[in-house]
Structure formats: C-alpha cells, structure tokens
Amino acid sequence: MALGCAYEYLRDLQRRVDQKVAIQLVQSGKGKNVVSRRPQNGGRIALEEEEQDELMLSSLKADRGVDVPFGSRVLRASLYGASVFLSFFLMLVFMTYNGYLILATVLGAALGHYIYGGRMDPDAVLGGGLETKGMSCH
C-alpha cells in the first residue's frame, strides 16, 4: 500500500513543482500569463479571425514554451524518473497475479489519491484543460 501512496504523492509533488516553476517563469517575464484570459460567450473564448490564424500557426511550431532553468530541470527530471521507476515497479507487482498484492496496490493508490488529491481546479476541469494522468503509468 505504501508504494501506491508514494506514487500518488510523487504525482502531486510533480504538479506542485511544475506550478512553482511556471509561476517563476511568468514572474520573470519569460512566459505568457494565460490565467488572465476569461471565457466569454457561454464559456467559450471569443477570438478574432486573425487571432485564430495566429493561434493555429503557433500551435504548429515545434519550439513551444520557454527554457526552464537548470536547477528546476534537474528537479523535474528527477521527479519524473522516480515516478516512472515507481510506476513500472507497481506494474511488475501487478503482473505477479497475486490477488493480495494487487489489492494492496489498488488500495494504496486510492488512499494516496484521497490524501494527496484533495484539491481541484473546477475551471480547468470544465474548460477541458485537466492535466490528469488517469490510469496511465506516467
């Protein structure tokens, strides 16, 4: 059960670290603050035709985003590596087909989600921008 809880903790920690890094990048002027944009017309963002064309062209560019500082990159990569390791380890535990181990894994994941998944951004959920990983490993 502890491994399932640890995996959920790592997912929550990754989200919090990413939020802090994003805030630092926006505050340093390196990112666009998309939070200030409010939906209009029944929850849809009203865009002019030129803005739509610009948005479509910018989405085609391969080089999106800004460079993350070295220390933050190392931290994010370390957390990602630990998350991948733990998810593959849990997959191997599941593949033993031992009912007790499977139950412990599922209960641990559920308990971890209950403990570390207690916050939700309703705007992101309703706007389709939910960044959840669901049942995927990583």
Side-chain angles (χ1 to χ4, degrees), residues 17 20 27 36-37 41 48 51 55 59-60 62 83 85 100 103 121 135-136:
V17 166
K20 286 182 182 178
Q27 288 175 346
S36 64
R37 192 174 218 178
N41 300 333
E48 299 294 326
E51 289 178 323
L55 183 62
S59 68
L60 294 175
S83 176
F85 173 79
Y100 297 113
L103 183 62
D121 182 2
M135 292 300 296
S136 65

Side-chain angles (χ1 to χ4, degrees), residues 17-63:
V17 166
D18 283 348
Q19 286 175 346
K20 286 182 182 178
V21 169
I23 289 170
Q24 289 173 350
L25 289 173
V26 168
Q27 288 175 346
S28 68
K30 292 184 180 180
K32 294 181 181 179
N33 190 358
V34 296
V35 177
S36 64
R37 192 174 218 178
R38 294 284 178 227
Q40 301 169 357
N41 300 333
R44 296 176 189 246
I45 296 176
L47 296 176
E48 299 294 326
E49 189 172 327
E50 291 177 8
E51 289 178 323
Q52 289 177 355
D53 291 341
E54 182 181 327
L55 183 62
M56 288 185 353
L57 287 174
S58 67
S59 68
L60 294 175
K61 291 181 182 177
D63 188 24

Side-chain angles (χ1 to χ4, degrees), residues 113 117-126 130:
H113 185 72
R119 296 182 51 91
M120 176 190 286
D121 182 2
D123 295 329
V125 172
L126 297 175
L130 183 64

Side-chain angles (χ1 to χ4, degrees), residues 20-22 24-25 28 30 66-77:
K20 286 182 182 178
V21 169
Q24 289 173 350
L25 289 173
S28 68
K30 292 184 180 180
V66 296
D67 291 332
V68 178
F70 178 75
S72 297
R73 281 180 81 177
V74 170
L75 178 60
R76 292 179 73 227

Side-chain angles (χ1 to χ4, degrees), residues 11 15 113 129-134 136:
R11 286 183 57 198
R15 280 189 294 267
H113 185 72
L130 183 64
E131 294 183 17
T132 184
K133 298 186 182 193
S136 65

